[in-house]
């Protein structure tokens, strides 16, 4: 963006402020998500796990997830 | 019929050790690490420089590339493993969560977008699972018709260890162990506890181990529950890496009765015993995993990859067990090798590529700089040098090697993988005990406990070492024969072992001829070979990097192509003592 030199410092400061605001906002939003979204899910899971029987398996090896057609095309 | 060659580009990045690999009709045309160009050790940035060098080497543009592969599956890693781990450890891990969210939202979830934008690429982008990439990098380079496959590292998506079976053109992973239960992370946790840098200095723990005794095996087995079939679980009460920015916490320190060593603190017998104990545990566990792998995926051949496969002591134990007739370990076993693996996986799965009948024969797959460029640089910098014919140079360098000279040896294409194997090497006489000290303290500026690796003529290897096969990638440790230990003290570790590189003429004629000429003069077919860099610096890439490293250390000679520089001739214009401090300051210690 072309800003006339006399007010370019103002633009630079505005950009810095916007970046700082963005960081604060994302920190707040992520923290809310952490407390509400993750928190509720975590509490439910932990409660369910408390009632699960804790048998020790004879082996820790597990089967890998099933492959599906054209799986290499996808990021999952 | 379309005769246009199929070019496939493999990429690994955004974790550590970014790399790019270019295949042409399934053959490896070019492979290199981003750190070599950016001069930042373990650089994790998008490997734009390595890709540009690959395309220039092949004399093609990005439009000629048929497919690009990324070495892991970002969605699986983030949405399945990382987010689930945050839920598991909640309410701990808030700081790590913030860092991870920013990193993933801004960068790691946009891989196809980055590839398309940074390369102006319009073709398909493929993804392989992290351990599939490791497995492909080993199996498809092995030349075996079938094989048992074992991959072990820190962590990929979920898997930390896998077992698989290769048959003909295809392979399948059949069993795996999941995060956080990881031998790679356990080794890294001990690396951290011993005051070394994680994901970088694990090899120091391996080098330290022979000085100690396995006095802490009981504590090691408190950290990990190992089943007879080689499967295991870490006792997560002792580790903090799931929710914190460190590997171990106070419970870990309580277990061993000592706080974590600071990075430059003294190395005491306690630390050596810890190193020995984790190494013994790794040997035991790797062997158990391989026994089980052979049981469920039987073959006479074993393919190994993943960062833990760089542990050459454990590799040596597997070899010695006689479980397998042949073993192939991918020389770029770490995550850089994932770029090679995904490219090979695309070639075999999407283009019906055939399993190569020959094993990967060398790693000289990086950039080469023409002789004219070397001479131009030396002239521009006012460096006096001699230029010689090949035979004359070989004989002259062999003569200079005798005794206490340390020589920078820079030739041809750079190596792919973490080791210098004869094109970007510092070499010296292995018979001179003092060279061990000199190279360590005055050239590499590193801890003196680490041994040097020898290069030996392949046909003479069994006369000097307890090794009955090739070890071209310095990935096997074997004993030096007792009667030879006194003859090559600079490469013989305190326990009588050595980390061996064997060399055949077809792998690197110039390097082979040099050692042959040295043998003819001295009767010794073994020299010291260590990577051409100082502590914390990536291996030198360009002639300028090599010259800089030479000028700022106490190396005596530098051979670049057919030119020979002597430090004595330039000492008048250089104060090495003063300049090496400035040079070292440029690199972060590992
Ligand atoms: Fe890996």
């Amino acid at each position: 963006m072309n800003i006339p030199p006399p007010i370019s410092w103002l633009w630079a400061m505005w950009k810095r402020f916007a970046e700082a605001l963005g960081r604060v906002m994302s920190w707040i939003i992520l923290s809310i998500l952490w407390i509400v979204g993750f928190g509720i899910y975590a509490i439910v899971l932990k409660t369910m796990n408390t009632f699960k029987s804790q048998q020790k398996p004879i082996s820790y090896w597990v089967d890998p997830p099933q492959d599906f057609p054209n799986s290499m095309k996808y990021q999952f | 019929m379309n005769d246009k060659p199929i070019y496939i580009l493999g990429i690994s990045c955004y974790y550590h050790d970014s790399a790019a690999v270019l295949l042409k009709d399934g053959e490896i045309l070019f492979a290199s690490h981003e750190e070599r160009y950016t001069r930042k050790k373990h650089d994790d940035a998008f490997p734009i420089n390595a890709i540009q060098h690959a395309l220039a080497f092949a004399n093609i543009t990005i439009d000629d590339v048929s497919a690009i592969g990324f070495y892991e599956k970002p969605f699986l890693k983030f949405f399945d493993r990382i987010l689930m781990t945050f839920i598991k450890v909640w309410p701990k891990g808030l700081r790590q969560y913030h860092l991870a969210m920013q990193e993933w939202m801004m960068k790691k979830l946009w891989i196809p977008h980055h590839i398309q934008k940074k390369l102006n690429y319009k073709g398909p982008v493929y993804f392989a699972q992290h351990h599939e990439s490791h497995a492909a990098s080993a199996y498809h380079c092995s030349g075996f018709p079938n094989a048992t496959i074992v991959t072990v590292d820190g962590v990929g998506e979920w898997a930390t260890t896998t077992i698989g079976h290769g048959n003909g053109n295809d392979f399948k992973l059949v069993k795996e162990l999941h995060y956080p239960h990881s031998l790679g992370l356990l080794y890294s946790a001990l690396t951290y506890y011993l005051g070394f840098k994680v994901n970088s200095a694990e090899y120091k723990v391996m080098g330290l181990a022979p000085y100690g005794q396995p006095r802490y095996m009981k504590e090691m087995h408190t950290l990990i529950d190992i089943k007879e079939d080689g499967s295991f679980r870490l006792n997560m009460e002792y580790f903090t890496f799931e929710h914190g920015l460190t590997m171990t916490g106070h419970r870990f320190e309580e277990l061993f009765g000592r706080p974590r060593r600071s990075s430059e603190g003294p190395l005491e017998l306690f630390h050596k015993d810890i190193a020995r104990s984790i190494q013994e545990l790794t040997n035991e566990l790797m062997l158990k995993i391989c026994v089980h792998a052979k049981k469920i995926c039987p073959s006479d051949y074993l393919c190994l990859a993943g960062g833990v496969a760089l542990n050459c002591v454990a590799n040596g134990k597997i070899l010695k067990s006689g479980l397998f007739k042949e073993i192939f370990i991918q020389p770029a076993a770490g995550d850089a090798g994932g770029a090679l693996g995904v490219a090979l996986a695309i070639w075999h799965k999407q283009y019906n590529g055939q399993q190569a009948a020959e094993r990967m024969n060398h790693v000289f797959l990086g950039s080469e700089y023409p002789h004219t460029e070397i001479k131009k640089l030396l002239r521009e910098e006012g460096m006096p040098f001699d230029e010689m014919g090949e035979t004359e140079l070989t004989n002259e360098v062999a003569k200079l090697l005798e005794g206490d000279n340390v020589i920078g040896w820079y030739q041809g294409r750079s190596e792919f993988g973490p080791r210098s194997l004869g094109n970007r090497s510092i070499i010296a006489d292995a018979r001179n005990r003092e060279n061990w000290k000199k190279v360590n303290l005055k050239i590499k500026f590193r801890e003196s406990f680490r041994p040097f690796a020898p290069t030996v003529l392949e046909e003479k290897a069994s006369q000097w070492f307890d090794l009955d096969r090739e070890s071209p990638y310095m990935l096997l440790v074997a004993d030096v024969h007792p009667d030879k230990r006194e003859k090559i003290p600079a490469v013989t570790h305190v326990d009588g072992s050595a980390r061996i590189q064997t060399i055949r003429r077809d792998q690197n004629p110039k390097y082979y001829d040099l050692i042959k000429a040295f043998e003819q003069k001295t009767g010794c077919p073994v020299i010291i070979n260590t990577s051409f860099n100082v502590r914390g610096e990536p291996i030198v890439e360009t002639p300028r990097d090599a010259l800089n490293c030479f000028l700022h250390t106490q190396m005596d000679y530098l051979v670049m192509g057919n030119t020979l520089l002597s430090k004595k001739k330039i000492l008048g214009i250089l104060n090495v003592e003063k300049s090496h401090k400035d040079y070292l300051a440029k690199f972060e210690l590992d």
Side-chain angles (χ1 to χ4, degrees):
Chain A
M1 196 167 158
N2 287 328
I3 304 290
I7 55 158
S8 61
W9 64 272
L10 202 65
W11 172 243
M13 276 185 62
W14 169 250
K15 268 207 314 193
R16 283 230 294 275
F17 171 72
E19 275 165 21
L21 188 68
R23 272 202 298 274
V24 172
M25 287 305 290
S26 67
W27 193 89
I28 292 171
I29 294 166
L30 284 174
S31 297
I32 292 171
L33 185 67
W34 173 256
I35 295 162
V36 181
F38 283 69
I40 292 170
Y41 197 7
I43 290 164
V44 172
L45 275 187
K46 277 169 206 260
T47 315
M48 279 163 62
N49 278 343
T50 316
F51 299 108
K52 260 193 192 161
S53 67
Q54 299 284 330
Q55 266 183 350
K56 264 204 161 184
I58 47 167
S59 170
Y60 297 123
W61 291 111
V62 294
D63 294 331
Q66 283 286 312
D67 204 9
F68 55 92
N70 292 320
S71 64
M72 286 195 81
K73 287 187 178 164
Y74 304 101
Q75 297 193 55
F76 46 84
Chain B
M1 195 176 135
N2 188 0
D3 284 336
K4 218 177 138 207
I6 293 167
Y7 289 99
I8 299 169
L9 187 65
I11 292 174
S12 67
C13 63
Y14 296 156
Y15 186 43
H16 53 87
D17 294 318
S18 292
V21 172
L22 185 65
L23 303 186
K24 180 185 179 183
D25 291 334
E27 298 276 326
I28 310 168
L29 203 59
F30 184 96
S32 194
H33 306 250
E34 186 66 1
E35 64 162 28
R36 306 283 163 88
Y37 305 100
T38 60
R39 312 306 299 148
K40 187 181 162 205
K41 190 111 169 157
H42 303 301
D43 196 349
D44 68 349
F46 188 84
I48 189 75
N49 294 285
I51 292 170
Q52 281 166 352
H53 277 82
L55 298 177
F57 182 86
N59 202 15
I60 58 170
T61 68
I62 195 70
D63 296 329
D64 297 308
V65 173
S66 308
I68 293 184
F70 190 69
Y71 82 125
E72 58 183 16
K73 298 214 170 201
F75 284 11
L76 203 57
K77 190 169 181 171
F78 180 69
F79 292 107
D80 206 20
R81 197 254 293 169
I82 294 180
L83 293 189
M84 284 313 288
T85 303
F86 285 135
I87 289 165
K88 180 185 157 197
V89 300
W90 193 92
K92 286 181 184 167
L94 180 62
R95 191 163 149 65
Q96 206 187 33
Y97 157 82
H98 273 290
L99 291 173
M101 290 299 264
Q102 307 236 352
E103 179 102 340
W104 279 87
M105 297 287 196
M106 305 290 286
K107 204 164 73 175
K108 295 182 177 177
L109 288 176
W110 304 95
I111 302 291
H113 176 74
H114 283 194
I115 289 174
Q116 280 147 7
K117 205 173 146 200
K118 286 179 196 275
L119 300 175
N120 198 16
Y121 170 75
K122 295 169 194 77
V125 179
Y126 295 101
F127 301 85
Q129 287 203 32
H130 189 104
H131 279 260
E132 276 176 353
S133 294
H134 279 315
S137 75
Y139 179 61
H140 291 314
C141 290
S142 69
F144 296 146
N146 59 70
T148 306
I149 302 170
V150 171
T151 67
V152 189
D153 71 357
V155 60
E157 290 84 7
W158 271 110
T160 63
T161 307
T162 68
I163 290 174
H165 187 240
N167 203 350
N169 303 325
D170 204 9
F171 71 87
K172 195 172 166 40
L173 300 180
V174 298
K175 287 287 172 197
E176 58 188 37
L177 297 174
H178 283 178
Y179 180 86
H181 309 294
S182 158
L183 177 56
L185 290 174
L186 173 65
Y187 207 93
S188 291
L190 269 301
T191 302
Y192 173 84
Y193 180 64
L194 290 174
F196 301 120
K197 200 169 172 183
V198 170
N199 283 335
S200 173
E202 279 75 3
Y203 66 103
K204 290 186 184 176
V205 178
M206 192 177 73
L208 188 63
Y211 292 97
Q213 291 300 322
R215 291 197 179 96
Y216 293 92
M217 294 313 288
K218 198 174 136 243
E219 287 79 357
M220 291 295 158
H221 284 281
T222 308
L223 296 175
I224 185 170
D225 171 29
I226 302 175
K227 301 283 185 195
E228 256 327 288
D229 62 4
S231 64
F232 59 88
R233 279 181 95 89
L234 299 187
N235 186 342
M236 292 311 293
E237 288 172 16
Y238 292 94
F239 301 92
T240 53
F241 60 78
E242 267 191 306
H243 56 79
L245 300 173
T246 56
M247 297 297 291
T248 60
H250 69 276
R251 285 210 61 175
F252 197 94
E253 295 180 351
E254 275 167 25
L255 178 69
F256 290 104
R258 294 271 293 258
R260 176 181 173 245
R261 175 183 164 261
S262 70
S263 61
E264 295 300 310
L267 274 168
E268 298 165 23
L269 185 62
F270 168 76
H271 303 112
K272 294 167 186 169
D273 289 343
I274 294 279
R276 177 65 185 271
S277 304
I278 182 63
Q279 187 56 50
E280 287 292 325
L281 185 101
T282 304
N283 298 346
E284 174 196 330
L285 188 48
M286 282 297 282
L287 201 57
K288 275 192 169 157
I289 292 169
C290 287
V291 168
H292 186 65
K294 172 137 182 155
K295 198 169 142 195
I296 62 171
C297 299
S299 169
D300 287 338
Y301 309 108
L302 172 69
C303 290
L304 272 178
V308 178
L310 292 171
N311 192 307
C312 25
V313 178
N315 297 345
K317 303 283 178 200
I318 296 166
L319 181 71
K320 218 158 178 203
S321 73
L323 266 175
F324 299 92
K325 265 193 205 156
E326 291 271 357
I327 296 181
F328 176 78
I329 306 157
Q330 167 52 239
D335 283 357
L340 173 59
V342 68
L344 287 166
I346 294 170
W347 172 246
H348 285 84
K349 287 188 199 297
Q350 305 294 323
Y351 294 91
N352 297 318
Q354 300 295 301
Q355 173 78 341
E358 300 278 311
R359 74 167 60 180
M360 187 178 174
N361 195 28
H362 66 84
V363 291
F364 308 110
L365 298 163
S367 301
E368 183 167 11
Y369 301 84
H371 195 58
T372 46
E373 195 177 318
I374 294 171
K375 286 205 291 184
K376 187 167 166 262
L377 170 76
L378 295 176
R379 288 206 180 101
E380 273 173 10
E381 297 296 322
M383 294 290 141
F385 65 91
D386 296 315
E387 198 177 353
M388 299 174 196
E390 222 153 272
T391 317
E392 193 191 347
L393 183 86
T394 302
N395 288 325
E396 180 64 21
V397 179
K399 198 169 87 192
L400 294 173
L401 260 181
E402 262 187 82
D404 62 356
N405 285 321
V406 178
I407 300 172
W409 177 257
Y410 179 98
Q411 303 290 340
R413 299 180 69 183
S414 54
E415 292 91 343
F416 182 53
R419 312 255 183 265
S420 286
L421 298 170
N423 276 359
R424 301 286 189 278
S425 292
I426 293 173
I427 55 176
D429 190 342
R431 299 169 306 157
N432 187 340
R433 192 183 297 272
E434 288 304 304
N435 280 343
W436 186 79
K437 241 192 225 163
K438 183 177 173 184
V439 178
N440 258 329
L441 299 175
K442 293 190 170 179
I443 289 153
K444 306 284 277 190
F445 305 106
R446 69 182 189 185
E447 295 94 331
S448 58
F449 64 84
R450 289 181 47 208
F452 283 113
T455 307
V456 56
L457 299 177
E458 189 181 304
E459 66 271 22
K460 298 289 167 72
S462 61
Q463 293 172 22
W464 290 71
F465 304 97
D466 183 18
L467 184 75
D468 61 352
R469 65 195 68 208
E470 65 167 14
S471 171
Y473 305 125
M474 235 181 238
L475 284 170
L476 292 175
V477 161
D479 286 339
V480 184
H481 288 317
D483 61 318
K484 295 286 198 288
R485 287 178 192 175
E486 271 306 301
K487 291 186 177 151
I488 45 171
V491 293
T492 305
H493 211 346
V494 65
D495 61 351
S497 68
R499 189 161 50 94
I500 301 160
Q501 179 200 1
T502 59
I503 184 92
R504 271 199 324 266
R505 195 167 195 285
D506 63 298
Q507 289 162 335
N508 189 336
K510 226 170 172 174
Y511 191 46
Y512 176 92
D513 288 346
L514 172 67
I515 303 173
K516 189 84 190 162
F518 181 74
E519 188 208 11
Q520 279 160 1
K521 280 183 197 307
T522 63
C524 175
V526 184
I527 64 169
I528 291 177
N529 173 16
T530 184
S531 53
F532 198 151
N533 58 354
V534 296
R535 187 179 170 191
E537 181 189 19
I539 295 170
V540 298
E541 172 63 30
T542 63
R544 183 172 287 282
D545 299 334
L547 182 65
N548 278 340
C549 189
F550 169 69
L551 291 178
H552 296 95
T553 60
Q554 294 187 19
M555 241 180 276
D556 300 292
Y557 292 91
L558 171 63
V559 184
M560 285 203 286
N562 286 352
T563 62
L564 175 68
L565 278 85
S566 161
K567 186 61 73 52
K568 283 184 204 123
K569 288 188 186 170
I570 52 173
L571 267 185
I573 53 174
L574 196 75
N575 183 345
V576 176
E577 283 291 340
K578 187 171 171 289
S579 67
H580 84 249
K581 288 200 178 78
D582 302 333
Y583 187 65
L584 270 183
K586 284 198 243 172
F587 306 107
E588 206 181 309
L589 294 183
D590 63 358

